[in-house]
């Protein structure tokens, strides 16, 4: 691919999307990628969603970006594909719509759509971030479960009359939406890796919340707002936040900027830019069980970090249950070993001390 960036940006040769995917997103995607024939199954199940017809719709009603139409966007797109080392530069369309939005569509030959509202809202570096965000969706293959989500939404409208059928579908939809929200956090990281400008990335997310009048906004104050949202309020506020989050396809802007800031502060962003990242050539070696553990750990770390009163209550209850369970199994083990004869009583005493240490360890991990 004969691309070259407009300025010096680090090209992330052969980068695997696992490098930037949120653990909860990555765990699910690694599982899907490991299923032989899954791509064929999705294609057969979701033939009703015609990718070619969608492309024709935008080809006929939007402006396709090229060297002669929106040439700056064309350069940003080419640079994004260069930095993330895509084999093929996806098409980009600009659609007349005052609502700021962008999306990646399709599986076999994905393309990107940006609205004029988003084009007018962002400056050059912010546009690089959002285009990189969408290229991240393409590289990760997020359209697979988005297709599943679309079909389930369609299916839920057809089985409303079946007792408990709609409830079951809604439960699955809630899980898929949670997955989709985590995919947006993944692609925010991809957008940052593409533009390689942390301030522009944060600024773009702030603009999505407050509009284009940047002189009236302050990034530090917006970060403080994010911290207040994540940890402030009482239990009622916690329930309300949960209820408003569940139906959302995207995390709220303050959550996205806080998550991106934490990822930068963790040093992971700089490590990737420095060349320390998994390669696509090693994707087949990824462990599903290891990624599932990483996903669980990421949720646990979020709980431990949060000062939200509802989360603290759930965490304390879970921790108490874990301690009680550990003590129960330690007691059973002690009695089992104590009944083995000989010096079993001494062994039981020693095991009891060891079990106490393990219980404390479990408490800390919760």
């Amino acid at each position: 691919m004969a691309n070259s960036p407009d300025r010096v940006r680090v090209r992330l040769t052969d980068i695997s999307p696992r490098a930037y995917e949120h653990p909860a997103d990555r765990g699910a995607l690694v599982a899907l990628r490991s299923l032989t024939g899954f791509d064929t199954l999705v294609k057969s199940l979701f033939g009703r969603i015609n990718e070619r017809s969608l492309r024709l719709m935008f080809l006929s009603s939007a402006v396709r970006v090229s060297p002669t139409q929106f040439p700056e966007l064309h350069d940003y797109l080419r640079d994004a594909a260069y930095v993330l080392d895509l084999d093929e530069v996806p098409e980009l369309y600009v659609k007349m719509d005052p609502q700021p939005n962008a999306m990646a569509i399709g599986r076999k030959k994905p393309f990107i759509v940006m609205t004029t509202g988003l084009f007018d809202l962002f400056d050059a570096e912010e546009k690089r971030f959002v285009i990189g965000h969408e290229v991240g969706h393409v590289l990760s293959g997020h359209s697979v479960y988005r297709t599943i989500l679309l079909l389930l939404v369609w299916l839920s409208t057809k089985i409303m009359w079946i007792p408990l059928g709609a409830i079951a579908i809604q439960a699955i939809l809630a899980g898929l939406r949670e997955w989709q929200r985590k995919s947006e956090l993944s692609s925010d990281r991809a957008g940052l890796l593409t533009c390689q400008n942390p301030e522009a990335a944060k600024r773009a997310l702030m603009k999505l919340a407050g509009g284009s009048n940047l002189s009236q906004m302050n990034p530090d104050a917006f970060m403080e707002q994010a911290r207040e949202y994540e940890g402030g309020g009482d239990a009622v506020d916690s329930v309300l936040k949960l209820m408003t989050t569940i139906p959302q396809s995207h995390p709220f802007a303050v959550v996205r900027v806080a998550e991106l800031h934490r990822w930068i502060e963790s040093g992971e962003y700089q490590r990737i830019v420095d060349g320390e990242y998994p390669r696509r050539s090693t994707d087949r070696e990824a462990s599903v069980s290891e990624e599932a553990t990483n996903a669980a750990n990421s949720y646990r770390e979020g709980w431990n970090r949060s000062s939200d009163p509802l989360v603290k209550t759930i965490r304390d209850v879970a921790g108490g249950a874990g301690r009680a369970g550990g003590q129960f199994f330690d007691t059973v083990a002690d009695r089992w070993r104590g009944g083995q004869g000989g010096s079993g009583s001494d062994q039981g005493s020693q095991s009891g001390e060891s079990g106490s240490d393990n219980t404390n360890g479990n408490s800390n991990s919760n």
Side-chain angles (χ1 to χ4, degrees), residues 84-144:
L84 293 182
D85 198 15
L86 264 67
D87 293 331
E88 185 175 349
V89 180
E91 290 183 336
L92 171 61
Y93 292 87
V94 176
K95 178 181 182 295
M96 177 60 188
D97 186 341
Q99 181 71 27
N101 195 18
M103 52 189 164
I105 301 173
R107 294 173 46 258
K108 188 175 181 180
K109 190 177 177 63
F111 60 94
I112 299 168
V113 178
M114 175 188 292
T115 67
T116 52
L118 194 65
F119 179 86
D120 294 336
L121 179 64
F122 286 165
D123 66 23
E125 288 294 290
E126 295 157 6
K127 287 171 185 170
R128 288 185 181 276
F129 166 74
V130 76
I131 289 175
H133 174 106
E134 299 306 327
V135 171
H137 280 312
V138 171
L139 183 56
S140 286
H142 283 140
S143 60
V144 171

Side-chain angles (χ1 to χ4, degrees), residues 331-352:
T331 301
V332 171
D334 289 346
R335 290 181 178 177
W336 173 263
R337 284 188 287 264
Q340 300 304 302
S343 59
S345 178
D346 292 339
Q347 292 173 358
S349 174
Q350 293 169 3
S351 298

Side-chain angles (χ1 to χ4, degrees), residues 143-179:
S143 60
V144 171
Y145 67 85
R146 292 185 178 209
T147 302
I148 298 173
L149 188 63
L150 284 172
L151 184 68
L152 284 175
V153 169
W154 172 84
L155 183 62
S156 67
T157 65
K158 303 297 182 182
I159 63 170
M160 292 295 291
W161 59 275
I162 302 177
L164 302 180
I167 296 176
I169 288 291
Q170 289 302 320
I172 298 172
L173 283 173
L176 284 171
R177 287 195 181 100
E178 168 64 8
W179 189 3

Side-chain angles (χ1 to χ4, degrees), residues 255-266:
V255 174
R256 293 173 68 177
V257 75
E259 287 282 351
L260 191 61
H261 177 76
R262 273 193 290 268
W263 189 63
I264 296 168
E265 291 295 302
S266 73

Side-chain angles (χ1 to χ4, degrees), residues 185-254:
L185 300 180
S186 298
S187 291
D188 283 344
R189 297 173 179 181
L192 173 58
L193 289 170
T194 300
C195 72
Q196 297 178 15
N197 186 335
E199 295 310 310
K202 295 177 186 178
R203 195 168 64 239
L205 295 173
M206 184 173 66
K207 280 187 173 182
L208 286 176
S212 61
N213 199 341
L214 197 60
S215 65
Q216 298 296 314
M217 294 184 285
N218 182 286
D220 293 334
F222 193 65
M223 282 298 304
E224 180 58 35
Q225 182 179 332
R227 286 188 285 269
E228 180 180 343
Y229 173 81
E230 289 189 325
D234 56 17
V236 174
D237 289 332
S238 300
V239 173
L240 291 173
K241 284 190 285 187
L242 182 63
M243 292 174 62
T244 55
T245 298
I246 288 175
Q248 301 296 321
S249 63
H250 287 59
F252 295 120
V254 293

Side-chain angles (χ1 to χ4, degrees), residues 260-277:
L260 191 61
H261 177 76
R262 273 193 290 268
W263 189 63
I264 296 168
E265 291 295 302
S266 73
E268 190 64 25
Y269 163 70
Q270 191 58 51
R271 280 193 292 273
I272 294 174
V273 172
D274 290 341
E276 298 180 31
Y277 54 82

